[in-house]
Amino acid sequence: MPHGSPQPYLLIAVKKDSDVAYQTAMSDTKTKAADYDKKNPGKPITMMLERTSKFPDPAWRVIWGESAGTSNFSVFIDASTGAYLQTMR
């Protein structure tokens, strides 16, 4: 996996919910998510909460597509702070 193996995390570390993650993905210009969404209208959006060795805290992965394995675009948002982490293509 390009983003690392899943790891356990404390639920208390998750301070931002999926709505915040989606809003950050769509509003932060560094993510390029709004542009991708506009070019791919109606594409399903899936949310996944995970912790990998790539990031110190759990992260929301906002996925354009049915799953992480079949998606060609997703955005990682820190579940503790709500900050943008990385865009995957």
Side-chain angles (χ1 to χ4, degrees), residues 5-37:
S5 299
Q7 300 174 359
Y9 56 86
L10 293 174
L11 193 54
I12 196 163
V14 180
K15 296 180 175 141
K16 304 298 178 181
D17 64 19
S18 58
D19 290 339
V20 171
Y22 177 76
Q23 291 170 358
T24 300
M26 293 301 286
S27 64
D28 190 322
T29 57
K30 293 178 286 199
T31 69
K32 310 262 190 244
D35 292 337
Y36 183 86
D37 192 60

Side-chain angles (χ1 to χ4, degrees), residues 51-84:
R51 180 160 181 258
T52 67
S53 59
K54 192 168 196 168
F55 308 116
D57 293 318
W60 285 105
R61 187 169 182 184
V62 185
I63 303 164
W64 276 257
E66 297 292 331
S67 70
T70 61
S71 174
N72 63 356
F73 187 86
S74 61
V75 175
F76 284 97
I77 305 296
D78 189 301
S80 293
T81 66
Y84 165 70

